Amino acid sequence: MKSDATHDVILNPATLPSHVAIIMDGNGRWAKKKMLNRVKGHEQGSQTVRSIVTACGKLGIEMLTLYAFSTENWGRPKHEVKALMMLLKKFIVSQKEELKKNNIRLNVIGQMHKLPTDVQEELDAAIQLTKHNKKMVLNLALSYGSREEITTAVRKIAKKIKSKDLDYKDISQDLISDHLYTKEMPDPDLIIRTSGEYRLSNFLLWQAAYSEIYISDTLWPDFSENEFIEILKNFQERDRRFGKVECSTSNDG
Ligand code: IPE
Ligand code: IPE
Ligand code: MG
């Protein structure tokens, strides 16, 4: 009998990360290794997205944020950007019913207005279709960059101060968080980056203050549910201290 990876896992639901964010990197290198066009790597990468979204639903992860296209990625060759936008549209069109069926709500963070109109329309339709879903949130970071996000937030706050809707003394960490694309979302507990690069590349810089980080050498198209589960196990063994002395349940100190 074919074994389903999740059947043999022992993951304590109480210590699962509520919010997992993934920097899905390595599509181009995957394609290059196989002497294929980079776009083939992105195509295969979108299959991985499907399998990891399904895995998160099964495992009970409440929020999954996927870095799919950065503000800097607009600087790639035109044909690659076009292919990525087409793949994004294809993904939404083919997956929206599946998301609905699986009780997953779709959300976007980033400059959605910069995406091609047809892509925006499909995203809007899928967001509408899934808006009452409660089991999980799938957050797609599209034309997303933290510096742009923070700059936009500062501008919005400044405007409110100018119109006297806010006083400068009202500026707090919570107020700043409330002006980011991620308002009302918990910070990511775990950030995974594939393809062995040790950097955040302008992803969730504010929100990642106390996120656990895991770097995998696997190229995104090869990333599997099994490896994801191993990473979750690794996360469950970590001691998150948040700047305090220890995270122990004993009172004997
Ligand atoms: C990640 O793979 C996908 C996007 C950034 C859109 P890359 O396309 O960055 O793949 P590499 O890093 O060139 O291998
Ligand atoms: C980060 O990957 C962006 C996404 C995964 C969407 P990049 O490939 O763009 O990042 P760098 O250029 O290696 O830092
Ligand atoms: Mg890359």
Side-chain angles (χ1 to χ4, degrees):
M1 202 176 85
K2 198 167 161 273
S3 95
D4 180 337
T6 53
H7 287 167
D8 353 69
V9 216
I10 313 158
L11 283 170
N12 178 359
T15 52
L16 268 181
S18 307
H19 182 183
V20 177
I22 309 183
I23 303 173
M24 310 182 289
D25 199 13
N27 294 351
R29 276 161 285 166
W30 181 91
K32 195 174 175 198
K33 254 176 56 183
K34 294 191 153 28
M35 316 256 272
L36 296 167
N37 186 292
R38 290 178 60 85
V39 174
K40 290 280 171 215
H42 297 313
E43 275 173 26
Q44 196 57 41
S46 72
Q47 298 299 323
T48 309
V49 172
R50 280 174 46 183
S51 81
I52 297 304
V53 171
T54 308
C56 283
K58 278 195 288 187
L59 292 163
I61 305 286
E62 288 164 25
M63 185 174 282
L64 173 67
T65 298
L66 297 176
Y67 201 9
F69 194 84
S70 73
T71 46
E72 288 72 26
N73 290 152
W74 289 113
R76 292 192 178 197
K78 263 205 178 91
H79 67 89
E80 184 171 343
V81 171
K82 204 170 161 200
L84 282 164
M85 293 300 146
M86 264 173 58
L87 274 172
L88 170 61
K89 184 174 165 184
K90 205 168 145 193
F91 175 82
I92 300 300
V93 171
S94 67
Q95 292 304 297
K96 64 180 179 192
E97 291 300 336
E98 192 71 12
L99 294 175
K100 187 177 178 195
K101 193 178 94 197
N102 293 325
N103 205 2
I104 299 171
R105 178 164 71 84
L106 181 72
N107 186 55
V108 170
I109 57 171
Q111 304 166 298
M112 200 164 135
H113 63 277
K114 290 222 167 157
L115 303 175
T117 323
D118 57 333
V119 176
Q120 286 185 49
E121 283 167 5
E122 291 302 340
L123 283 165
D124 277 333
I127 290 168
Q128 276 301 316
L129 185 73
T130 61
K131 69 178 177 192
H132 297 302
N133 291 354
K134 293 275 180 299
K135 186 160 184 253
M136 182 180 133
V137 177
L138 171 62
N139 243 332
L140 293 183
L142 299 172
S143 190
Y144 175 86
S146 274
R147 288 183 170 182
E148 188 279 327
E149 177 183 42
I150 293 168
T151 308
T152 301
V154 171
R155 206 176 289 131
K156 283 185 198 156
I157 293 169
K159 203 171 161 197
K160 287 182 189 173
I161 293 173
K162 192 171 175 223
S163 64
K164 305 225 178 321
D165 290 320
L166 267 184
D167 186 88
Y168 80 93
K169 292 194 190 99
D170 297 330
I171 298 175
S172 64
Q173 295 188 17
D174 284 346
L175 185 99
I176 293 172
S177 292
D178 285 347
H179 287 80
L180 300 175
Y181 295 124
T182 52
K183 60 174 180 285
E184 290 162 12
M185 292 177 200
D187 288 340
D189 300 294
L190 171 64
I191 297 179
I192 300 170
R193 182 167 188 150
T194 59
S195 87
E197 304 292 357
Y198 284 69
R199 54 178 174 264
L200 287 171
S201 303
N202 205 7
F203 187 49
L204 302 178
L205 301 182
W206 171 275
Q207 299 85 342
Y210 272 100
S211 303
E212 294 296 322
I213 297 177
Y214 189 101
I215 308 290
S216 160
D217 284 333
T218 307
L219 302 173
W220 177 250
D222 288 331
F223 191 73
S224 66
E225 181 177 343
N226 279 330
E227 181 172 1
F228 184 57
I229 289 165
E230 288 308 315
I231 296 171
L232 294 176
K233 281 192 208 162
N234 174 288
F235 171 86
Q236 295 193 314
E237 283 159 12
R238 295 190 189 188
D239 182 14
R240 300 183 76 190
R241 290 187 290 276
F242 299 96
K244 312 292 188 317
V245 177
E246 63 180 325
C247 181
S248 161
T249 47
S250 76
N251 279 328
D252 56 5

